[in-house]
Amino acid sequence: MWGGRFSASPAEIMEEINASIGFDKRLWRHDILASKAHVAMLAATGIVKPDEAEQIARGLDQIIAEIEGGKFAFSRKLEDIHLNVESRLAELIGPVAGKLHTARSRNDQVATDFRLYVRDEIEAIQAGLMGLQLALAKKALECAGAVMPGFTHLQTAQPITFGHHLLAYVEMLRRDRGRFGCATRRLNESPLGAAALAGTSFPIDRDMTAEALGFSRPAANSLDAVSDRDFALETLAAAAIAAMHLSRLAEEIVLWTSPQFGFARLSDAYSTGSSIMPQKRNPDAAELVRAKTGRIAGAFQALLMVMKGLPLAYAKDMQEDKEPLFDALDALKLGLAAMTGMVEDLTPDARAMKRAAARGHSTATDLADWLVRALGLPFREAHNVTGRIVALADEKGCDLKKLSLDDLKSVEKRITDDVYAVVDVASSVKSRTSYGGTAPANVRREARRWIKRLEKEAGSR
Ligand code: ARG
């Protein structure tokens, strides 16, 4: 492999620690794509002859067919995907294969391949995020008027609508899409032609290869081009944040589907049983989505640690960039698909949610607001009066709504029976029409807007 310089083969353990083919074989398509762009440029600039370039391109096409047909023998002795492809090319077309590696190095080659790979992965993740947004928005529209308790500190806070709750996740995913979009924009510079680290003396055309590979421009500094893995880090950071969002939703599904909450049900398709307790319906998929956040966030940390002490330019440490990223993005794609399935599958129990929403004096704020509006009390005083009414209800072991008018008047004599309308959970949510509020009318409008926008985007992809 290393030509004249080496006479003996590597130690077995050297081969084992050094080889990356076991995992970087998944870069094969991007590797060959980049090689084809490179050789076309070598021909266009007169660095290789047109017929040589043609032989090389044809050989590369044959290798694509072999790999697609499962007939390609990947070899650990050949270390990585780049040398595996190049060596097969030499078998197929002879010594002219050696001209492909003119004016490039595996350093710019792997940086190019990896960027192309990550760019495609981001594309798939964006589609997954959109799919989940659409599932959430559709469910939100169906459940726009379903009242549930809203929590802070996991204590009943104020009634909200289930649709509003789901749309909160649509917003999180909107930001995730933005982060992946920004990562793609910065990723999209071509390292190809940076060669080993210093550029090359051959009259290459880096704009041409950049354009052929869909990059917006060649990376401006050859050292930076081969030593930068920010694009992988940014992608993993965006993935970690997206995974955290999935995990929060997963956690809520675990809570909602528990017998203690009973807010929603997953069908048999998304539940598992217990081998010993026949009554159980476990939300395993939600738990696994929640758990995968650990490996996704861990991958970001792992790569950050690989990179943090490396002097410029390339170091073999950087070969460790791939496994965590592959694993993390696979996990994210799977998590998105599973979560989309679960959201579509989820059947809320509107009555159970509404019952829970009425418990815990969830409309106490509505009562306080009414005291401000109807009786002109300053809010702080209204808060105090309401607190005393809540204490009275607790003393009597009943909900706010069940207190008699006399009970209410014993705390504040100006209260009238108009108050009963505002302490009702349905009228509470209906009244919250401020921008971004939980009112069913707001939820319907927002959900429809999202569905329209997402369907349009899906259609134009
Ligand atoms: N397999 C290597 C990697 O993934 C390719 C680059 C090797 N470059 C080198 N100078 N040894 O990083």
Side-chain angles (χ1 to χ4, degrees):
M1 237 168 11
W2 316 124
R5 183 71 180 81
F6 284 66
S7 51
S9 345
E12 167 69 19
I13 198 71
M14 174 62 199
E15 188 182 301
E16 187 175 342
I17 195 170
N18 202 35
S20 54
I21 189 62
F23 50 86
D24 70 12
K25 62 163 91 118
R26 52 160 117 182
L27 298 177
W28 70 267
R29 198 182 284 282
H30 302 97
D31 188 69
I32 295 177
L33 191 73
S35 287
K36 287 182 76 172
H38 183 64
V39 77
M41 181 277 291
L42 293 179
T45 50
I47 299 168
V48 304
K49 297 198 190 76
D51 67 303
E52 294 170 334
E54 208 165 291
Q55 279 184 67
I56 290 172
R58 249 186 284 120
L60 290 170
D61 283 336
Q62 183 168 338
I63 294 173
I64 293 179
E66 288 178 1
I67 299 177
E68 279 178 343
K71 290 192 202 80
F72 189 95
F74 292 100
S75 156
R76 198 178 79 173
K77 293 225 166 334
L78 295 167
E79 206 181 307
D80 59 22
I81 185 61
H82 324 295
L83 296 173
N84 268 264
V85 170
E86 203 184 320
S87 142
R88 179 66 186 144
L89 187 66
E91 282 173 13
L92 291 172
I93 66 170
V96 68
K99 299 207 171 188
L100 172 60
H101 213 52
T102 314
R104 77 169 187 193
S105 142
R106 279 189 297 158
N107 297 349
D108 57 338
Q109 194 179 354
V110 73
T112 306
D113 297 359
F114 201 31
R115 278 180 195 247
L116 292 173
Y117 178 87
V118 174
R119 196 175 68 187
D120 281 355
E121 286 293 284
I122 290 178
E123 180 81 10
I125 289 166
Q126 294 283 36
L129 288 167
M130 280 175 59
L132 178 53
Q133 280 186 307
L134 187 57
L136 286 163
K138 284 183 171 167
K139 188 71 55 169
L141 185 57
E142 271 171 46
C143 305
V147 179
M148 73 182 285
F151 302 100
T152 57
H153 316 266
L154 202 59
Q155 308 276 323
T156 303
Q158 292 174 352
I160 57 169
T161 50
F162 189 55
H164 193 57
H165 197 125
L166 296 178
L167 288 179
Y169 285 94
V170 175
E171 292 298 324
M172 296 178 219
L173 301 178
R174 174 179 63 79
R175 293 191 295 274
D176 290 326
R177 287 174 57 193
R179 271 182 284 272
F180 280 110
C182 288
T184 304
R185 247 170 283 136
R186 271 186 297 276
L187 165 153
N188 212 26
E189 295 184 355
S190 173
L192 197 56
L197 75 164
T200 175
S201 57
F202 289 100
I204 57 171
D205 182 347
R206 291 192 58 206
D207 288 298
M208 182 180 167
T209 44
E211 198 191 321
L213 295 170
F215 287 116
S216 13
R217 68 191 76 85
N221 180 298
S222 62
L223 288 172
D224 179 47
V226 293
S227 67
D228 166 47
R229 293 295 181 270
D230 289 2
F231 61 95
L233 284 167
E234 283 192 40
T235 304
L236 287 173
I241 295 173
M244 173 274 285
H245 293 150
L246 295 190
S247 180
R248 294 182 76 172
L249 180 53
E251 165 65 8
E252 303 212 275
I253 291 177
V254 170
L255 289 174
W256 294 339
T257 57
S258 70
Q260 285 68 22
F261 272 74
F263 286 3
R265 188 180 158 90
L266 285 170
S267 79
D268 291 358
Y270 283 93
S271 308
T272 57
S274 155
S275 53
I276 177 170
M277 298 164 284
Q279 84 283 9
K280 303 256 325 239
R281 297 177 64 78
N282 295 329
D284 288 29
E287 294 167 276
L288 287 164
V289 167
R290 188 174 61 186
K292 283 182 193 300
T293 310
R295 58 206 277 181
I296 296 170
F300 170 69
Q301 190 66 13
L303 182 54
L304 198 59
M305 291 306 104
V306 167
M307 297 305 297
K308 76 162 186 58
L310 297 186
L312 300 186
Y314 178 85
K316 195 62 173 247
D317 307 54
M318 289 162 73
Q319 179 166 285
E320 290 284 313
D321 59 359
K322 291 171 204 65
E323 284 169 292
L325 180 127
F326 291 161
D327 181 74
L329 301 191
D330 285 351
L332 181 59
K333 286 186 292 179
L334 183 58
L336 283 167
M339 190 51 87
T340 305
M342 278 186 279
V343 167
E344 285 166 350
D345 187 82
L346 200 67
T347 313
D349 183 336
R351 289 177 52 193
M353 288 195 301
K354 191 168 180 188
R355 237 180 290 124
R359 279 197 298 269
H361 312 304
S362 66
T363 52
T365 320
D366 298 271
L367 172 54
D369 288 349
W370 182 85
L371 294 170
V372 170
R373 259 195 324 269
L375 307 184
L377 298 186
F379 182 77
R380 282 293 165 223
E381 197 183 329
H383 184 281
N384 185 283
V385 169
T386 307
R388 280 182 282 141
I389 293 173
V390 166
L392 182 61
D394 275 344
E395 206 177 287
K396 301 208 158 200
C398 69
D399 284 337
L400 278 183
K401 223 178 134 170
K402 294 279 153 61
L403 288 173
S404 69
L405 191 57
D406 285 344
D407 287 335
L408 294 170
K409 281 181 181 296
S410 75
V411 179
E412 165 57 62
K413 58 181 185 312
R414 287 175 294 165
I415 293 179
T416 67
D417 62 3
D418 288 349
V419 81
Y420 289 107
V422 306
V423 295
D424 172 65
V425 289
S427 51
S428 166
V429 294
K430 221 170 139 188
S431 72
R432 307 219 180 262
T433 52
S434 57
Y435 179 73
T438 198
N442 285 20
V443 174
R444 256 176 230 114
R445 192 172 54 240
E446 277 296 293
R448 286 208 182 93
R449 189 179 66 77
W450 268 113
I451 292 168
K452 205 166 135 193
R453 180 166 146 190
L454 289 163
E455 283 176 344
K456 196 171 142 205
E457 276 180 289
S460 66
R461 277 168 87 89

